[in-house]
Amino acid sequence: MDDASNNNNNKRARTSVDKPLVDVWLRELGQLSTRNFALRRRASEDLVLRLGIYAKLDKHRGCVNTVSFNTDGDILISGSDDRRVILWDWKTERVKLSFHSGHNDNVFQAKIMPFTDDRSIVTCAADGQVRHAQILERGGVETKLLGKHQGRAHKLAIEPGSPHVFYTCGEDGLVQHFDLRTGAATELFTCRPIDDRRNYMTVVNLNAIAIDPRNANLFAVAGSDEYTRLYDIRKYKWDGSTDFGQPADYFCPPNLIGDEQVGITGLAFSDQSELLVSYNDEFIYLFTQDMGLGPNPPPSSPVSTRSEASEMGSDHTSAASPSTANTDVKIAPQVYKGHRNCVTVKGVNFFGPKCEYVVSGSDCGRIFIWKKKGGELIRVIEADRHVVNCIEPHPHSTVLASSGIESDIKIWTPNAADRATLPTNIEQVLIPDHIRWFALGDDDDGDYYFYDIYGEGDDDDDDDDDFDDDDDDGGGGGGSGGGGDVDSDDDEEDDDNNNIDDNVDNDNDDESNEEAISYSDFDDYDIDLDVDDGVDGN
């Protein structure tokens, strides 16, 4: 039996190693197109297991709460607690453009609008503002206030392929629609809890919003309760004659219905319209369109306990839908477990040319990568000394960008000589005042354990103390989860570099940017900008 088992293992290993060679052979024979060959290589598990650090982009002076690639993938945009937005040429590790966002608090999201020559940028922040930054021909930046939330605005979502339209959500429960052609903000609805909770929960504080890339009419929002709500913008009457607040569908794992201790921090749609949902203090779940609970979800009574979540995992165990007859069954969502999401508002994402993998940061400072199909954890990457909040995949290559509590951005490419393996011989060790947790699930009995890796990456206590002091000064207390203002030195630097004045007239652009150079020539250059805090239509 042992010899047979060893032979089988050798065959599997040999098949895995030889597969790239087979693909090359098929391509040379014309049996595999160049496009499909490239897609297979980008989705290769071998490349994922060889991901290593390519660069550290370090110019911010606070937590980096958002990273995003432009459509072509040659520019990375970031936003931080220092209230600055930076555009990077990540391949050369150089700053193309750095400017003050105009926000009064931590920048939570910054994205480049598509088909705008990378000159149109939208942002939202802890001050609740939604702003538009336009990079001018002579290199200056003009920022404008588009709208505002009553509370922190964590996320925005751009309509796929549109240079004009995007949505935002905030802790006030409000979802807004923006069209840059008019500069107007349309308040679509305020997200309300299900009926039996409205006597003590007035709104759902929203943390995440995402648009279906295959159907831009559909978008999902989620926040401080267990439900992800799906809306169809086609049902909205732009004259305000109808109540658009009723979702077209709800999504929630059966074991979490009625659980008032959980909330949702991250959402993502795949290219196949699958919906990825990251819960705080819980797991990540993958829903297909047929897993919805319908527009009227069942009463908030759990159909199972939270401890049963892992039983719904890799084999997609069927569970009865509480809203259907006994003869109907619904397939339970795929579960991804191992990370820890308790401290900050973390995102979640797909990875690979056809969304073959799921990626997330963790409170332990690591990046977790699972196979989408089956939920197998295949990679754990040491990324930060503290919390990793953002993982952003490159649109065309096997490249990841990550950020979190630290002030730098890390770029990961498949440059390692050896394939990585999952950590082994992990022991549960409690270190006074500094506990680093590593989470692992046990598929056999459904238990969920959190382990600490003793002393890994934290040998120098002085370094940690220095870092903590920087966080205290810089307001880095939790990425998108909040934090104070950056220190006064940074404020002075921003004012000196950008000549920010809320009363600056936009007509002064030419004068204020006389010494500016063209956008394409920018390199580690802080520019002047004009700020307009007037909201059109208000």
Side-chain angles (χ1 to χ4, degrees):
M1 287 294 292
D2 290 342
D3 291 340
S5 177
N6 289 335
N7 289 334
N8 289 335
N9 289 336
N10 290 334
K11 289 179 181 179
R12 283 197 294 270
R14 207 163 38 241
T15 300
S16 175
V17 172
D18 294 343
K19 191 175 188 306
L21 298 178
V22 173
D23 288 343
V24 172
W25 179 67
L26 291 174
R27 184 187 64 174
E28 294 300 314
L29 291 177
Q31 298 181 16
L32 183 64
S33 69
T34 300
R35 180 177 181 274
N36 287 335
F37 175 81
L39 290 175
R40 286 191 185 184
R41 291 303 91 221
R42 284 173 51 203
S44 167
E45 183 177 339
D46 181 74
L47 294 184
V48 175
L49 295 179
R50 294 180 189 273
L51 285 172
I53 190 70
Y54 170 83
K56 293 183 180 180
L57 311 179
D58 191 2
K59 287 292 183 182
H60 282 293
R61 297 186 61 187
C63 305
V64 181
N65 305 314
T66 174
V67 289
S68 176
F69 289 98
N70 66 342
T71 304
D72 291 336
D74 59 332
I75 296 176
L76 181 75
I77 185 172
S78 61
S80 167
D81 285 2
D82 61 12
R83 304 189 293 280
R84 303 191 70 81
V85 172
I86 299 180
L87 277 67
W88 306 83
D89 182 341
W90 62 270
K91 291 183 181 179
T92 63
E93 306 175 37
R94 301 175 76 92
V95 173
K96 293 178 68 69
L97 183 65
S98 174
F99 65 92
H100 194 288
S101 63
H103 287 285
N104 300 316
D105 211 334
N106 307 343
V107 177
F108 282 167
Q109 186 105 74
K111 286 183 175 291
I112 299 174
M113 299 297 290
F115 304 110
T116 62
D117 197 25
D118 302 322
R119 292 179 178 273
S120 180
I121 298 167
V122 288
T123 60
C124 60
D127 58 8
Q129 294 184 13
V130 180
R131 304 190 70 93
H132 177 228
Q134 184 70 39
I135 301 174
L136 306 177
E137 290 295 332
R138 298 183 64 185
V141 175
E142 175 184 294
T143 71
K144 181 179 181 180
L145 177 65
L146 298 177
K148 191 166 175 40
H149 288 268
Q150 300 303 314
R152 294 179 290 188
H154 285 284
K155 290 291 186 290
L156 57 85
I158 297 173
E159 182 178 293
S162 172
H164 309 296
V165 177
F166 68 99
Y167 298 76
T168 64
C169 67
E171 291 183 355
D172 54 0
L174 179 64
V175 175
Q176 299 190 73
H177 174 280
F178 293 88
D179 192 326
L180 295 177
R181 290 167 291 192
T182 63
T186 302
E187 296 185 357
L188 297 180
F189 62 91
T190 297
C191 189
R192 306 288 182 185
I194 55 178
D195 291 339
D196 59 349
R197 295 185 190 174
R198 294 190 178 185
N199 58 337
Y200 59 92
M201 185 179 181
T202 57
V203 300
V204 177
N205 309 127
L206 295 178
N207 296 321
I209 183 168
I211 301 175
D212 186 345
R214 297 188 68 179
N215 184 352
N217 296 304
L218 302 178
F219 65 92
V221 298
S224 59
D225 69 2
E226 70 270 35
Y227 293 104
T228 297
R229 295 160 171 82
L230 184 71
Y231 294 86
D232 190 334
I233 192 64
R234 291 171 295 189
K235 295 183 179 180
Y236 182 75
K237 303 298 182 184
W238 295 97
D239 60 3
S241 60
T242 60
D243 180 12
F244 184 58
Q246 177 61 36
D249 209 347
Y250 286 80
F251 293 87
C252 181
N255 60 298
L256 295 184
I257 295 176
D259 190 335
E260 299 183 20
Q261 303 303 312
V262 299
I264 296 168
T265 65
L267 294 175
F269 274 105
S270 74
D271 293 339
Q272 297 84 39
S273 296
E274 300 157 310
L275 182 59
L276 198 59
V277 183
S278 181
Y279 283 83
N280 69 286
D281 205 17
E282 238 277 341
F283 307 129
I284 297 169
Y285 295 86
L286 179 71
F287 298 90
T288 55
Q289 290 180 318
D290 58 350
M291 293 181 183
L293 302 173
N296 298 297
S300 300
S301 56
V303 298
S304 61
T305 64
R306 289 176 62 184
S307 64
E308 294 174 348
S310 57
E311 297 176 6
M312 299 161 42
S314 57
D315 58 354
H316 279 228
T317 306
S318 297
S321 169
S323 59
T324 58
N326 291 334
T327 57
D328 295 331
V329 294
K330 282 188 177 293
I331 303 301
Q334 175 65 59
V335 184
Y336 307 92
K337 52 188 178 179
H339 75 308
R340 187 173 175 93
N341 181 13
C342 302
V343 178
T344 56
V345 177
K346 291 180 187 62
V348 68
N349 231 318
F350 292 96
F351 183 41
K354 294 184 178 180
C355 303
E356 293 88 349
Y357 304 96
V358 170
V359 292
S360 174
S362 175
D363 292 342
C364 62
R366 296 172 176 86
I367 297 170
F368 286 72
I369 305 178
W370 299 265
K371 289 183 179 179
K372 184 183 75 173
K373 184 176 181 180
E376 178 190 357
L377 178 65
I378 63 169
R379 188 75 198 274
V380 177
I381 305 174
E382 290 283 345
D384 283 10
R385 287 180 293 162
H386 295 267
V387 178
V388 177
N389 289 322
C390 306
I391 309 291
E392 182 73 11
H394 190 278
H396 313 300
S397 301
T398 310
V399 176
L400 287 175
S402 68
S403 68
I405 298 301
E406 296 184 13
S407 60
D408 64 2
I409 302 155
K410 295 179 178 66
I411 304 296
W412 307 88
T413 63
N415 57 11
D418 299 320
R419 293 161 53 103
T421 58
L422 287 175
T424 57
N425 301 323
I426 300 173
E427 298 180 358
Q428 187 175 14
V429 181
L430 300 181
I431 305 174
D433 300 324
H434 194 82
I435 300 177
R436 287 170 54 88
W437 294 102
F438 179 74
L440 288 176
D442 187 335
D443 286 333
D444 294 332
D445 56 17
D447 291 335
Y448 187 70
Y449 301 101
F450 291 98
Y451 291 98
D452 178 72
I453 297 182
Y454 179 80
E456 190 166 322
D458 287 303
D459 297 328
D460 191 342
D461 293 334
D462 293 334
D463 289 344
D464 290 342
D465 293 337
D466 292 341
F467 189 90
D468 292 337
D469 291 339
D470 291 342
D471 281 351
D472 293 338
D473 293 338
S480 297
D485 294 332
V486 294
D487 58 31
S488 58
D489 291 338
D490 203 24
D491 294 340
E492 292 173 3
E493 177 186 316
D494 292 340
D495 292 339
D496 292 341
N497 287 340
N498 298 299
N499 301 322
I500 291 180
D501 184 347
D502 289 345
N503 296 318
V504 171
D505 191 327
N506 289 337
D507 293 336
N508 293 332
D509 285 339
D510 292 339
E511 179 180 349
S512 64
N513 292 292
E514 284 182 354
E515 302 301 323
I517 58 179
S518 67
Y519 170 50
S520 61
D521 293 332
F522 269 97
D523 181 14
D524 199 6
Y525 194 84
D526 287 330
I527 53 82
D528 299 330
L529 78 162
D530 289 341
V531 178
D532 180 4
D533 279 340
V535 181
D536 289 352
N538 289 348

